[in-house]
Amino acid sequence: MAAIAVHKFAQCITCHAWSPDLSMVAFCPNSNEVHIYKLLQDKWEKVHVLQKHDQIVSGIDWSARSNRIVTASHDRNSYVWNLEGSEWVPTLVILRLNRAALCVQWSPKENKFAVGSGAKTVCVCYYEQENNWWVSKLIRKRHDSSVTGVAWHPNNIFLATTSTDGKCRVFSTFIKGVDTKDSRTGPTSDSKFGEQIVQLDLSFSWAFGVKWSPSGNTLAYVGHNSMIYFVDDVGPSPLAQNVAFRDLPLRDVLFVSERMAIGVGFDCSPMVFAADDRGIWSFIRFLGERKVTSSGSTYGSQFSEAFGKLYGGQTKHGVSHDAVEPSRSRGGIHENCIKYLLYSAA
């Protein structure tokens, strides 16, 4: 059964990750430590504390198959943690950063992971067995500001990033000796490491959380201007759609299927978006509320033209479909901003 895992802890959480079977959760309580809790007899108990970083841990990801945890921190370092017996043992990662590491994510095959940073660079890391450490190749001089989000395509090669420069980009991360040639398909199959596949200039504000659909055919990311963007046919001529809403901005987005996505952010309630039979995306309802918020097409169409002019109307990357949704009174299960969203099929 597929589930979105949510649990309340007393601490302010800067980042978190769940174990593959959802029996444990690792999170940073706004410090330089990572706490791991386990569900024991219907009660969450602290079972491990990972201590290696010197500053706040800003990113955590828990691999589904290899059961490894990767952490990234404002101290410009990253570590890969392996469970040996009853202890989590850190392995050094050579990032070569001069600014804070902000986010991290394992690749689908778990032979690489990507780290976004405040140094306007992305580190793509892979294991070097002879030295027993993880080394990195850097994607440089592509971003104009901090990298706020990274997302791997299912092919294990393409990497999408968002940045506070307002842009979403897709890069090739093919590394000889790590990736196989048969993993590169399509018109961009000959792309080299660090080559930019596409740059999306859809947002006029900071861009955050970015995700691929399960098939990799659709890319979604959110902007600080209370808009969410859906992009099909990612490549030289992508087709983009904008969905605007009159509530507070989102911070993260997640696909639960090819035609349904959930966004979370400053409004404290998850928002459900879905595509119809024509592939047009729109807001459906809020989660965590008893009363379902209506979103009539008439209301959206009244504001569509005005907001289309405000946000640029048709994008140069494809046809833009703007739908502006009504605001509603805030409140629900969560009492503050939701920064991250994780999905598990368990």
Side-chain angles (χ1 to χ4, degrees):
M1 181 181 69
I4 298 174
V6 178
H7 189 78
K8 279 190 175 182
F9 292 90
Q11 298 96 328
C12 173
I13 299 174
T14 58
C15 54
H16 72 288
W18 288 85
S19 64
D21 61 358
L22 296 182
S23 65
M24 292 188 287
V25 60
F27 65 87
C28 170
N30 199 31
S31 70
N32 63 335
E33 298 179 344
V34 173
H35 295 183
I36 299 179
Y37 279 70
K38 186 173 184 178
L39 186 61
L40 300 171
Q41 298 180 350
D42 297 327
K43 185 179 180 181
W44 291 94
E45 300 285 350
K46 187 191 297 183
V47 291
H48 298 284
V49 177
L50 309 185
Q51 297 175 311
K52 193 67 176 178
H53 291 286
D54 298 325
Q55 297 183 30
I56 289 177
V57 177
S58 51
I60 305 173
D61 198 18
W62 199 323
S63 61
R65 290 179 293 179
S66 57
N67 195 36
R68 293 179 297 198
I69 297 174
V70 59
T71 59
S73 168
H74 288 182
D75 63 10
R76 301 172 294 171
N77 291 318
S78 179
Y79 294 96
V80 174
W81 303 79
N82 295 275
L83 185 60
E84 298 181 3
S86 59
E87 298 293 328
W88 287 94
V89 179
T91 303
L92 180 65
V93 180
I94 310 297
L95 288 184
R96 298 179 291 158
L97 289 177
N98 58 8
R99 294 291 186 274
L102 301 179
C103 53
V104 63
Q105 187 181 68
W106 285 105
S107 69
K109 292 184 178 179
E110 300 177 7
N111 59 345
K112 301 183 291 187
F113 61 87
V115 179
S117 74
K120 308 177 186 179
T121 61
V122 177
C123 305
V124 180
C125 307
Y126 59 97
Y127 186 62
E128 199 171 75
Q129 188 169 4
E130 54 270 26
N131 294 313
N132 189 31
W133 60 23
W134 292 75
V135 295
S136 63
K137 296 191 69 173
L138 272 58
I139 300 176
R140 302 176 183 267
K141 300 179 180 180
R142 295 292 188 175
H143 301 86
D144 298 322
S145 190
S146 299
V147 179
T148 57
V150 293
W152 288 93
H153 189 277
N155 67 8
N156 207 67
I157 301 297
F158 292 163
L159 180 72
T161 67
T162 49
S163 171
T164 48
D165 63 13
K167 297 176 177 61
C168 177
R169 301 171 174 89
V170 177
F171 299 97
S172 170
T173 67
F174 182 84
I175 300 177
K176 187 177 180 180
V178 177
D179 299 300
T180 57
K181 291 184 178 180
D182 57 3
S183 61
R184 298 193 292 183
T185 59
T188 56
S189 59
D190 294 331
S191 56
K192 299 178 181 179
F193 178 87
E195 183 176 337
Q196 183 172 286
I197 306 302
V198 67
Q199 176 176 297
L200 301 168
D201 303 324
L202 304 179
S203 178
F204 294 91
S205 62
W206 296 343
F208 291 105
V210 56
K211 294 292 189 305
W212 296 90
S213 65
S215 68
N217 292 331
T218 304
L219 179 68
Y221 69 101
V222 300
H224 206 60
N225 53 354
S226 292
M227 297 186 76
I228 184 170
Y229 307 93
F230 296 94
V231 184
D232 294 315
D233 300 330
V234 176
S237 301
L239 299 175
Q241 299 179 47
N242 309 330
V243 179
F245 44 91
R246 299 179 65 188
D247 296 283
L248 297 179
L250 298 175
R251 281 297 305 265
D252 199 9
V253 62
L254 181 69
F255 282 93
V256 294
S257 69
E258 284 297 317
R259 292 192 172 187
M260 182 172 291
I262 296 178
V264 296
F266 292 95
D267 235 326
C268 311
S269 296
M271 302 175 69
V272 181
F273 300 87
D276 60 19
D277 294 337
R278 299 171 299 165
I280 304 300
W281 287 86
S282 61
F283 168 73
I284 302 301
R285 67 184 181 96
F286 290 94
L287 292 180
E289 290 183 333
R290 293 183 180 179
K291 183 177 180 181
V292 177
T293 303
S294 62
S295 59
S297 58
T298 302
Y299 185 96
S301 63
Q302 292 175 350
F303 286 86
S304 180
E305 182 179 356
F307 270 73
K309 294 178 180 178
L310 177 62
Y311 291 111
Q314 289 192 345
T315 170
K316 64 181 180 181
H317 296 285
V319 178
S320 172
H321 173 75
D322 294 340
V324 183
E325 305 300 339
S327 61
R328 57 86 175 94
S329 59
R330 293 172 181 80
I333 296 176
H334 294 276
E335 300 172 357
N336 213 323
C337 171
I338 308 173
K339 293 181 63 178
Y340 302 103
L341 190 63
L342 296 177
Y343 180 79
S344 175

